[in-house]
Amino acid sequence: MPPSAEPAAPVRAAGRLRRFTGAERWVHRITAALMGVLLVTGACLYVPPLAELVGRRRLVVTVHEWAGLALPVPLLVGLASRALRADLGRLNRFAPYDRGWIRAALWGRRRPSGKFNAGQKAYAALVAGAALVLLGTGLILWFPRVVPVPWRTGATFVHDWTALFVGVLVLGHVVLAARDPEARRALRTGYASRAWARREHPLWDDEES
């Protein structure tokens, strides 16, 4: 079945809900791999002990540059999937209950959420915005002779600190994912149990009931 023909809504299967289609899972996997390459190569470029351990700085720079250019490609290709477009719409839309979710999360309490909770929506927005900043500043650093020196200096500062910010976000994302085996299973198989959906995303479960 071509990606554009994939159903946007989850389907039921033996007490499970279809959370992600194949196209969505592959977009996530490839994007995660590219992000991992960027973080590792970036660390090798800016952390002296790692730079000495790895060596071959020119090769590391080249891999970093091309991985950065390739980062948006999986998402752009994945836009052919109707399901992915639907989920991007969900991630981009904050509902009234999301404010309640944030307040409850700050106090360690559980509140209803849709298919994606407010924390996941905020993470997606922050990473997407930061990726655009990194792409823009990275292009300035890639072609240093095209722009004035003050631009290059500013681009270096912004690129480095934004990369650190993204690294912290991704680390937090990985830690939270490690605590939720059902969420990881949904990304691996595409399906989540109805019990997990009712517990973690009850409004989404109600929507699909």
Side-chain angles (χ1 to χ4, degrees), residues 6 8 17 26 28 30 47 57 68 70 72 78 81-82 94-95 99 116 122 126 130 136-137 141 146 148 159 169 199:
E6 291 175 348
L17 282 176
W26 277 108
H28 183 272
I30 298 172
V47 179
R57 181 179 177 84
S81 166
R82 188 172 54 196
F94 273 77
R99 290 190 290 272
F116 303 106
L126 290 171
T137 53
L141 297 175
V146 178
H159 194 86
L169 284 178
R199 184 178 70 251

PDB file of all heavy atoms in Angstrom, residues 6 8 17 26 28 30 47 57 68 70 72 78 81-82 94-95 99 116 122 126 130 136-137 141 146 148 159 169 199:
ATOM      1  N   GLU A   6      -2.415   5.244   3.176  1.00  0.00           N
ATOM      2  CA  GLU A   6      -2.513   4.725   4.527  1.00  0.00           C
ATOM      3  C   GLU A   6      -3.641   5.416   5.279  1.00  0.00           C
ATOM      4  O   GLU A   6      -3.854   6.613   5.141  1.00  0.00           O
ATOM      5  CB  GLU A   6      -1.201   4.944   5.279  1.00  0.00           C
ATOM      6  CG  GLU A   6      -0.066   4.083   4.742  1.00  0.00           C
ATOM      7  CD  GLU A   6       1.226   4.419   5.433  1.00  0.00           C
ATOM      8  OE1 GLU A   6       1.273   5.435   6.123  1.00  0.00           O
ATOM      9  OE2 GLU A   6       2.185   3.660   5.265  1.00  0.00           O
ATOM     10  N   ALA A   8      -5.547   7.366   8.092  1.00  0.00           N
ATOM     11  CA  ALA A   8      -5.090   8.342   9.079  1.00  0.00           C
ATOM     12  C   ALA A   8      -5.501   7.938  10.482  1.00  0.00           C
ATOM     13  O   ALA A   8      -4.878   8.298  11.457  1.00  0.00           O
ATOM     14  CB  ALA A   8      -5.662   9.723   8.754  1.00  0.00           C
ATOM     15  N   LEU A  17      -4.812  -0.660  19.656  1.00  0.00           N
ATOM     16  CA  LEU A  17      -5.091   0.440  18.743  1.00  0.00           C
ATOM     17  C   LEU A  17      -3.873   0.676  17.869  1.00  0.00           C
ATOM     18  O   LEU A  17      -2.729   0.614  18.354  1.00  0.00           O
ATOM     19  CB  LEU A  17      -5.399   1.722  19.514  1.00  0.00           C
ATOM     20  CG  LEU A  17      -6.784   1.865  20.138  1.00  0.00           C
ATOM     21  CD1 LEU A  17      -6.853   3.161  20.926  1.00  0.00           C
ATOM     22  CD2 LEU A  17      -7.852   1.849  19.064  1.00  0.00           C
ATOM     23  N   TRP A  26       8.980   4.681  10.099  1.00  0.00           N
ATOM     24  CA  TRP A  26      10.236   4.825   9.377  1.00  0.00           C
ATOM     25  C   TRP A  26      10.743   6.259   9.385  1.00  0.00           C
ATOM     26  O   TRP A  26      11.955   6.500   9.476  1.00  0.00           O
ATOM     27  CB  TRP A  26      10.098   4.305   7.946  1.00  0.00           C
ATOM     28  CG  TRP A  26      10.273   2.826   7.884  1.00  0.00           C
ATOM     29  CD1 TRP A  26       9.315   1.879   7.658  1.00  0.00           C
ATOM     30  CD2 TRP A  26      11.495   2.109   8.091  1.00  0.00           C
ATOM     31  NE1 TRP A  26       9.855   0.616   7.716  1.00  0.00           N
ATOM     32  CE2 TRP A  26      11.197   0.728   7.978  1.00  0.00           C
ATOM     33  CE3 TRP A  26      12.807   2.492   8.364  1.00  0.00           C
ATOM     34  CZ2 TRP A  26      12.168  -0.260   8.118  1.00  0.00           C
ATOM     35  CZ3 TRP A  26      13.766   1.503   8.513  1.00  0.00           C
ATOM     36  CH2 TRP A  26      13.449   0.150   8.391  1.00  0.00           C
ATOM     37  N   HIS A  28      10.292   8.335  11.821  1.00  0.00           N
ATOM     38  CA  HIS A  28      10.845   8.511  13.159  1.00  0.00           C
ATOM     39  C   HIS A  28      12.223   7.845  13.270  1.00  0.00           C
ATOM     40  O   HIS A  28      13.168   8.432  13.811  1.00  0.00           O
ATOM     41  CB  HIS A  28       9.892   7.925  14.200  1.00  0.00           C
ATOM     42  CG  HIS A  28      10.347   8.120  15.613  1.00  0.00           C
ATOM     43  ND1 HIS A  28      11.169   7.226  16.256  1.00  0.00           N
ATOM     44  CD2 HIS A  28      10.105   9.115  16.504  1.00  0.00           C
ATOM     45  CE1 HIS A  28      11.411   7.655  17.474  1.00  0.00           C
ATOM     46  NE2 HIS A  28      10.781   8.795  17.662  1.00  0.00           N
ATOM     47  N   ILE A  30      14.484   7.013  10.893  1.00  0.00           N
ATOM     48  CA  ILE A  30      15.535   7.641  10.102  1.00  0.00           C
ATOM     49  C   ILE A  30      15.901   9.003  10.682  1.00  0.00           C
ATOM     50  O   ILE A  30      17.079   9.366  10.770  1.00  0.00           O
ATOM     51  CB  ILE A  30      15.105   7.759   8.629  1.00  0.00           C
ATOM     52  CG1 ILE A  30      14.869   6.374   8.036  1.00  0.00           C
ATOM     53  CG2 ILE A  30      16.161   8.499   7.819  1.00  0.00           C
ATOM     54  CD1 ILE A  30      14.250   6.392   6.650  1.00  0.00           C
ATOM     55  N   VAL A  47      34.075  18.776  21.860  1.00  0.00           N
ATOM     56  CA  VAL A  47      34.617  18.268  23.131  1.00  0.00           C
ATOM     57  C   VAL A  47      36.038  17.774  22.859  1.00  0.00           C
ATOM     58  O   VAL A  47      36.221  16.754  22.171  1.00  0.00           O
ATOM     59  CB  VAL A  47      33.743  17.125  23.697  1.00  0.00           C
ATOM     60  CG1 VAL A  47      34.341  16.601  24.992  1.00  0.00           C
ATOM     61  CG2 VAL A  47      32.307  17.607  23.906  1.00  0.00           C
ATOM     62  N   ARG A  57      39.223  15.086  11.747  1.00  0.00           N
ATOM     63  CA  ARG A  57      38.250  16.161  11.933  1.00  0.00           C
ATOM     64  C   ARG A  57      37.532  16.500  10.634  1.00  0.00           C
ATOM     65  O   ARG A  57      36.323  16.735  10.631  1.00  0.00           O
ATOM     66  CB  ARG A  57      38.948  17.403  12.486  1.00  0.00           C
ATOM     67  CG  ARG A  57      37.988  18.554  12.737  1.00  0.00           C
ATOM     68  CD  ARG A  57      38.691  19.763  13.310  1.00  0.00           C
ATOM     69  NE  ARG A  57      37.771  20.879  13.472  1.00  0.00           N
ATOM     70  CZ  ARG A  57      36.967  21.057  14.510  1.00  0.00           C
ATOM     71  NH1 ARG A  57      36.988  20.193  15.505  1.00  0.00           N
ATOM     72  NH2 ARG A  57      36.146  22.092  14.574  1.00  0.00           N
ATOM     73  N   GLY A  68      23.164  16.995   8.624  1.00  0.00           N
ATOM     74  CA  GLY A  68      22.312  18.146   8.887  1.00  0.00           C
ATOM     75  C   GLY A  68      21.424  18.477   7.704  1.00  0.00           C
ATOM     76  O   GLY A  68      20.228  18.772   7.860  1.00  0.00           O
ATOM     77  N   ALA A  70      20.450  16.376   5.471  1.00  0.00           N
ATOM     78  CA  ALA A  70      19.521  15.261   5.256  1.00  0.00           C
ATOM     79  C   ALA A  70      18.417  15.190   6.312  1.00  0.00           C
ATOM     80  O   ALA A  70      17.404  14.514   6.092  1.00  0.00           O
ATOM     81  CB  ALA A  70      20.287  13.937   5.249  1.00  0.00           C
ATOM     82  N   PRO A  72      15.875  17.041   7.369  1.00  0.00           N
ATOM     83  CA  PRO A  72      14.458  17.270   7.043  1.00  0.00           C
ATOM     84  C   PRO A  72      13.905  16.313   5.990  1.00  0.00           C
ATOM     85  O   PRO A  72      12.688  16.250   5.804  1.00  0.00           O
ATOM     86  CB  PRO A  72      14.432  18.710   6.500  1.00  0.00           C
ATOM     87  CG  PRO A  72      15.813  19.232   6.582  1.00  0.00           C
ATOM     88  CD  PRO A  72      16.730  18.102   6.832  1.00  0.00           C
ATOM     89  N   GLY A  78       7.905  11.791   4.017  1.00  0.00           N
ATOM     90  CA  GLY A  78       6.801  11.191   4.752  1.00  0.00           C
ATOM     91  C   GLY A  78       5.499  11.961   4.648  1.00  0.00           C
ATOM     92  O   GLY A  78       4.435  11.427   4.968  1.00  0.00           O
ATOM     93  N   SER A  81       2.312  10.568   3.354  1.00  0.00           N
ATOM     94  CA  SER A  81       1.432   9.742   4.180  1.00  0.00           C
ATOM     95  C   SER A  81       0.340  10.596   4.800  1.00  0.00           C
ATOM     96  O   SER A  81       0.614  11.557   5.523  1.00  0.00           O
ATOM     97  CB  SER A  81       2.242   9.049   5.278  1.00  0.00           C
ATOM     98  OG  SER A  81       1.394   8.502   6.261  1.00  0.00           O
ATOM     99  N   ARG A  82      -0.901  10.227   4.553  1.00  0.00           N
ATOM    100  CA  ARG A  82      -2.036  10.930   5.134  1.00  0.00           C
ATOM    101  C   ARG A  82      -2.022  10.824   6.656  1.00  0.00           C
ATOM    102  O   ARG A  82      -2.382  11.774   7.371  1.00  0.00           O
ATOM    103  CB  ARG A  82      -3.329  10.359   4.567  1.00  0.00           C
ATOM    104  CG  ARG A  82      -4.580  11.144   4.949  1.00  0.00           C
ATOM    105  CD  ARG A  82      -5.775  10.620   4.170  1.00  0.00           C
ATOM    106  NE  ARG A  82      -5.930   9.173   4.343  1.00  0.00           N
ATOM    107  CZ  ARG A  82      -6.686   8.419   3.551  1.00  0.00           C
ATOM    108  NH1 ARG A  82      -7.298   8.960   2.505  1.00  0.00           N
ATOM    109  NH2 ARG A  82      -6.819   7.123   3.786  1.00  0.00           N
ATOM    110  N   PHE A  94      -2.690  22.893  20.136  1.00  0.00           N
ATOM    111  CA  PHE A  94      -2.846  22.802  21.592  1.00  0.00           C
ATOM    112  C   PHE A  94      -4.320  23.000  21.942  1.00  0.00           C
ATOM    113  O   PHE A  94      -4.917  24.022  21.597  1.00  0.00           O
ATOM    114  CB  PHE A  94      -1.983  23.849  22.300  1.00  0.00           C
ATOM    115  CG  PHE A  94      -0.585  23.389  22.564  1.00  0.00           C
ATOM    116  CD1 PHE A  94       0.354  23.360  21.544  1.00  0.00           C
ATOM    117  CD2 PHE A  94      -0.205  22.954  23.817  1.00  0.00           C
ATOM    118  CE1 PHE A  94       1.644  22.924  21.766  1.00  0.00           C
ATOM    119  CE2 PHE A  94       1.090  22.514  24.063  1.00  0.00           C
ATOM    120  CZ  PHE A  94       2.012  22.498  23.027  1.00  0.00           C
ATOM    121  N   ALA A  95      -4.876  22.018  22.602  1.00  0.00           N
ATOM    122  CA  ALA A  95      -6.286  22.070  23.007  1.00  0.00           C
ATOM    123  C   ALA A  95      -6.394  22.592  24.441  1.00  0.00           C
ATOM    124  O   ALA A  95      -5.397  22.630  25.178  1.00  0.00           O
ATOM    125  CB  ALA A  95      -6.889  20.664  22.904  1.00  0.00           C
ATOM    126  N   ARG A  99      -3.480  22.585  28.563  1.00  0.00           N
ATOM    127  CA  ARG A  99      -3.050  23.466  29.658  1.00  0.00           C
ATOM    128  C   ARG A  99      -3.245  22.787  31.010  1.00  0.00           C
ATOM    129  O   ARG A  99      -2.390  22.893  31.893  1.00  0.00           O
ATOM    130  CB  ARG A  99      -3.824  24.783  29.597  1.00  0.00           C
ATOM    131  CG  ARG A  99      -3.452  25.659  28.414  1.00  0.00           C
ATOM    132  CD  ARG A  99      -4.069  27.048  28.542  1.00  0.00           C
ATOM    133  NE  ARG A  99      -5.517  27.002  28.363  1.00  0.00           N
ATOM    134  CZ  ARG A  99      -6.126  27.098  27.197  1.00  0.00           C
ATOM    135  NH1 ARG A  99      -5.404  27.242  26.095  1.00  0.00           N
ATOM    136  NH2 ARG A  99      -7.444  27.059  27.117  1.00  0.00           N
ATOM    137  N   PHE A 116      -1.521  12.733  21.574  1.00  0.00           N
ATOM    138  CA  PHE A 116      -0.239  13.244  22.061  1.00  0.00           C
ATOM    139  C   PHE A 116      -0.511  14.192  23.211  1.00  0.00           C
ATOM    140  O   PHE A 116      -1.408  15.043  23.128  1.00  0.00           O
ATOM    141  CB  PHE A 116       0.517  13.971  20.943  1.00  0.00           C
ATOM    142  CG  PHE A 116       0.763  13.130  19.734  1.00  0.00           C
ATOM    143  CD1 PHE A 116       0.045  13.333  18.570  1.00  0.00           C
ATOM    144  CD2 PHE A 116       1.707  12.118  19.763  1.00  0.00           C
ATOM    145  CE1 PHE A 116       0.258  12.551  17.454  1.00  0.00           C
ATOM    146  CE2 PHE A 116       1.925  11.317  18.650  1.00  0.00           C
ATOM    147  CZ  PHE A 116       1.198  11.535  17.497  1.00  0.00           C
ATOM    148  N   ALA A 122       4.967  20.025  22.959  1.00  0.00           N
ATOM    149  CA  ALA A 122       5.993  21.038  23.207  1.00  0.00           C
ATOM    150  C   ALA A 122       7.352  20.564  22.723  1.00  0.00           C
ATOM    151  O   ALA A 122       8.122  21.334  22.128  1.00  0.00           O
ATOM    152  CB  ALA A 122       6.047  21.369  24.702  1.00  0.00           C
ATOM    153  N   LEU A 126       9.593  22.496  19.914  1.00  0.00           N
ATOM    154  CA  LEU A 126      10.925  22.995  20.247  1.00  0.00           C
ATOM    155  C   LEU A 126      11.994  22.396  19.345  1.00  0.00           C
ATOM    156  O   LEU A 126      12.889  23.099  18.863  1.00  0.00           O
ATOM    157  CB  LEU A 126      11.235  22.705  21.715  1.00  0.00           C
ATOM    158  CG  LEU A 126      10.449  23.517  22.744  1.00  0.00           C
ATOM    159  CD1 LEU A 126      10.686  22.971  24.144  1.00  0.00           C
ATOM    160  CD2 LEU A 126      10.834  24.988  22.667  1.00  0.00           C
ATOM    161  N   ALA A 130      14.223  24.466  16.728  1.00  0.00           N
ATOM    162  CA  ALA A 130      15.673  24.428  16.893  1.00  0.00           C
ATOM    163  C   ALA A 130      16.359  23.868  15.655  1.00  0.00           C
ATOM    164  O   ALA A 130      17.446  24.325  15.272  1.00  0.00           O
ATOM    165  CB  ALA A 130      16.039  23.598  18.118  1.00  0.00           C
ATOM    166  N   GLY A 136      19.878  26.889   9.467  1.00  0.00           N
ATOM    167  CA  GLY A 136      20.256  28.219   8.982  1.00  0.00           C
ATOM    168  C   GLY A 136      21.654  28.627   9.401  1.00  0.00           C
ATOM    169  O   GLY A 136      22.462  29.085   8.574  1.00  0.00           O
ATOM    170  N   THR A 137      21.976  28.453  10.681  1.00  0.00           N
ATOM    171  CA  THR A 137      23.313  28.832  11.150  1.00  0.00           C
ATOM    172  C   THR A 137      24.369  27.885  10.593  1.00  0.00           C
ATOM    173  O   THR A 137      25.497  28.303  10.312  1.00  0.00           O
ATOM    174  CB  THR A 137      23.361  28.824  12.686  1.00  0.00           C
ATOM    175  OG1 THR A 137      22.897  27.545  13.178  1.00  0.00           O
ATOM    176  CG2 THR A 137      22.483  29.911  13.260  1.00  0.00           C
ATOM    177  N   LEU A 141      27.877  28.726   8.500  1.00  0.00           N
ATOM    178  CA  LEU A 141      29.202  28.210   8.850  1.00  0.00           C
ATOM    179  C   LEU A 141      29.796  27.374   7.724  1.00  0.00           C
ATOM    180  O   LEU A 141      31.026  27.251   7.611  1.00  0.00           O
ATOM    181  CB  LEU A 141      29.100  27.375  10.132  1.00  0.00           C
ATOM    182  CG  LEU A 141      28.654  28.138  11.377  1.00  0.00           C
ATOM    183  CD1 LEU A 141      28.466  27.194  12.554  1.00  0.00           C
ATOM    184  CD2 LEU A 141      29.642  29.232  11.718  1.00  0.00           C
ATOM    185  N   VAL A 146      30.962  33.734   2.329  1.00  0.00           N
ATOM    186  CA  VAL A 146      29.805  34.410   1.728  1.00  0.00           C
ATOM    187  C   VAL A 146      29.255  35.500   2.640  1.00  0.00           C
ATOM    188  O   VAL A 146      28.630  36.456   2.168  1.00  0.00           O
ATOM    189  CB  VAL A 146      28.706  33.380   1.407  1.00  0.00           C
ATOM    190  CG1 VAL A 146      27.465  34.037   0.831  1.00  0.00           C
ATOM    191  CG2 VAL A 146      29.238  32.331   0.429  1.00  0.00           C
ATOM    192  N   PRO A 148      29.635  38.208   6.251  1.00  0.00           N
ATOM    193  CA  PRO A 148      30.621  38.969   7.040  1.00  0.00           C
ATOM    194  C   PRO A 148      31.047  38.218   8.300  1.00  0.00           C
ATOM    195  O   PRO A 148      30.338  37.332   8.784  1.00  0.00           O
ATOM    196  CB  PRO A 148      29.868  40.254   7.398  1.00  0.00           C
ATOM    197  CG  PRO A 148      28.695  40.317   6.480  1.00  0.00           C
ATOM    198  CD  PRO A 148      28.348  38.905   6.139  1.00  0.00           C
ATOM    199  N   HIS A 159      24.566  28.498  16.943  1.00  0.00           N
ATOM    200  CA  HIS A 159      24.580  27.090  16.558  1.00  0.00           C
ATOM    201  C   HIS A 159      25.018  26.207  17.726  1.00  0.00           C
ATOM    202  O   HIS A 159      24.383  25.179  18.004  1.00  0.00           O
ATOM    203  CB  HIS A 159      25.540  26.893  15.375  1.00  0.00           C
ATOM    204  CG  HIS A 159      25.399  25.579  14.690  1.00  0.00           C
ATOM    205  ND1 HIS A 159      24.487  25.351  13.689  1.00  0.00           N
ATOM    206  CD2 HIS A 159      26.064  24.399  14.863  1.00  0.00           C
ATOM    207  CE1 HIS A 159      24.593  24.103  13.263  1.00  0.00           C
ATOM    208  NE2 HIS A 159      25.542  23.501  13.968  1.00  0.00           N
ATOM    209  N   LEU A 169      17.227  18.220  25.187  1.00  0.00           N
ATOM    210  CA  LEU A 169      15.866  17.797  24.868  1.00  0.00           C
ATOM    211  C   LEU A 169      15.826  16.331  24.446  1.00  0.00           C
ATOM    212  O   LEU A 169      14.972  15.565  24.903  1.00  0.00           O
ATOM    213  CB  LEU A 169      15.300  18.661  23.740  1.00  0.00           C
ATOM    214  CG  LEU A 169      14.847  20.077  24.084  1.00  0.00           C
ATOM    215  CD1 LEU A 169      14.360  20.786  22.818  1.00  0.00           C
ATOM    216  CD2 LEU A 169      13.733  20.067  25.123  1.00  0.00           C
ATOM    217  N   ARG A 199      -5.102   4.607  29.905  1.00  0.00           N
ATOM    218  CA  ARG A 199      -4.371   5.162  31.037  1.00  0.00           C
ATOM    219  C   ARG A 199      -3.611   6.435  30.669  1.00  0.00           C
ATOM    220  O   ARG A 199      -3.642   7.434  31.400  1.00  0.00           O
ATOM    221  CB  ARG A 199      -3.392   4.113  31.577  1.00  0.00           C
ATOM    222  CG  ARG A 199      -2.644   4.569  32.831  1.00  0.00           C
ATOM    223  CD  ARG A 199      -1.730   3.486  33.348  1.00  0.00           C
ATOM    224  NE  ARG A 199      -0.586   3.264  32.464  1.00  0.00           N
ATOM    225  CZ  ARG A 199      -0.403   2.204  31.692  1.00  0.00           C
ATOM    226  NH1 ARG A 199      -1.308   1.234  31.678  1.00  0.00           N
ATOM    227  NH2 ARG A 199       0.676   2.087  30.942  1.00  0.00           N
TER     228      ARG A 199
END
